[in-house]
Amino acid sequence: MGKVKGPLFNKNVDNTIMMLKKEWENHPNNFKMISKQIPQYNAKQIRQRWKNHLDPNLCHEPLDEAEKSFIVQWVKVNQTTPTATIHWKDLISAMKDRFGKLRSENKIKNFWYLKQRSLKLEQQEVDCKYTVDDDKNNIIPFQSLFEICHDPLSEREKQFIIQWISISKMKQKNDRISWVCLRNDLKTKFYKTRPENALKNFWYSRQRRLGEPAREGPSNKPAIPYLLDY
């Protein structure tokens, strides 16, 4: 169930809070006393309004770079685990001692959580842009999986093609080659999208050198799982 919020504060309410806060400044439960005068708000809401907006000692200027760096370092030192509670009151006090400015809890929280979201989004972008080549443990651009690779075939790719076609012919008991399936399996294995002509040129050139006939026909057979771990 979502958090229930009270009515919005306005200038008249803010002025009333400031007037009553001054009147009951030394009262131990001054926010509770104020809430009795404006019952549409409870003591906690009034206290938060005061500490984040109305306290005349608050500095409302944007955080400078030194303060931002201080917040990051302070949390790193004082937060024992990534999920541990951050003691914002202690951080506010430390910042006041260090910079001579009273900052609101909301301002510090807003900076911190916005920074964490930005870091998370940046990491997601990196994860989307790059993937790992399992064979070499190299990081390669994810976009390259969708782009045609015109680089010369590597020796490992050539060996893969030779074995793939040999196994395919044995299973099908004919000379037909499913180039689409071979191309897809190459992409899965090597993270490269090769043009079909590059595969055909390599294969038929090899067949001519070996003096073997190059016969093929259409095939709708499913892809043959690659067997070698090069």
Side-chain angles (χ1 to χ4, degrees):
M1 186 175 180
K3 182 179 179 181
V4 178
K5 295 183 178 180
L8 296 176
F9 288 90
N10 55 49
K11 188 174 182 179
N12 289 334
V13 174
D14 286 346
N15 289 337
T16 300
I17 292 173
M18 295 181 72
M19 180 187 68
L20 294 175
K21 182 69 167 65
K22 186 175 182 180
E23 181 178 343
W24 290 316
E25 185 173 3
N26 297 321
H27 195 286
N29 295 315
N30 49 21
F31 293 113
K32 186 175 182 180
M33 296 295 294
I34 295 172
S35 68
K36 292 181 179 180
Q37 301 299 315
I38 43 176
Q40 64 269 39
Y41 305 97
N42 59 41
K44 182 179 180 180
Q45 291 170 325
I46 295 171
R47 182 174 64 253
Q48 289 177 340
R49 183 66 176 174
W50 176 263
K51 291 189 173 183
N52 286 304
H53 299 280
L54 302 180
D55 188 339
N57 296 313
L58 284 174
C59 176
H60 295 286
E61 296 174 358
L63 294 168
D64 59 35
E65 293 304 316
E67 289 175 297
K68 292 177 182 178
S69 296
F70 183 88
I71 293 170
V72 172
Q73 292 301 318
W74 190 95
V75 173
K76 184 183 295 185
V77 171
N78 291 276
Q79 190 181 27
T80 54
T81 66
T83 57
T85 300
I86 299 174
H87 298 287
W88 301 107
K89 290 182 180 179
D90 294 340
L91 174 53
I92 291 170
S93 178
M95 289 186 68
K96 185 178 180 182
D97 292 341
R98 177 70 175 80
F99 300 101
K101 301 175 185 178
L102 178 62
R103 293 296 193 174
S104 70
E105 185 173 313
N106 277 358
K107 184 178 287 292
I108 297 175
K109 282 183 175 180
N110 288 342
F111 160 73
W112 176 254
Y113 290 123
L114 180 60
K115 181 176 179 61
Q116 297 310 300
R117 285 196 295 271
S118 298
L119 291 174
K120 186 175 181 180
L121 288 174
E122 288 175 6
Q123 184 58 49
Q124 289 175 348
E125 289 178 1
V126 170
D127 292 341
C128 289
K129 288 180 180 178
Y130 297 92
T131 187
V132 178
D133 183 340
D134 292 331
D135 295 309
K136 296 182 179 179
N137 289 326
N138 292 331
I139 302 298
I140 62 174
F142 187 78
Q143 182 64 26
S144 67
L145 298 181
F146 304 97
E147 297 174 350
I148 300 296
C149 178
H150 296 285
D151 295 337
L153 291 168
S154 67
E155 291 303 317
R156 294 171 62 248
E157 288 176 295
K158 292 176 182 179
Q159 291 299 318
F160 182 89
I161 292 169
I162 293 169
Q163 183 168 6
W164 192 99
I165 293 177
S166 298
I167 294 174
S168 175
K169 286 183 176 182
M170 286 190 295
K171 286 181 174 288
Q172 297 176 155
K173 298 181 180 180
N174 58 46
D175 292 326
R176 289 179 294 184
I177 300 171
S178 176
W179 297 105
V180 172
C181 295
L182 171 55
R183 190 166 176 252
N184 287 337
D185 281 354
L186 268 171
K187 178 179 177 180
T188 302
K189 179 65 175 176
F190 298 100
Y191 299 99
K192 297 176 184 178
T193 300
R194 292 293 190 176
E196 187 173 311
N197 281 347
L199 310 184
K200 288 182 176 180
N201 289 341
F202 161 71
W203 177 252
Y204 293 129
S205 295
R206 180 178 182 276
Q207 296 303 93
R208 284 194 295 271
R209 289 197 306 272
L210 296 175
E212 297 181 6
R215 299 191 302 271
E216 71 160 306
S219 174
N220 295 321
K221 293 281 186 177
I224 305 298
Y226 43 80
L227 303 180
L228 288 183
D229 289 328
Y230 292 107

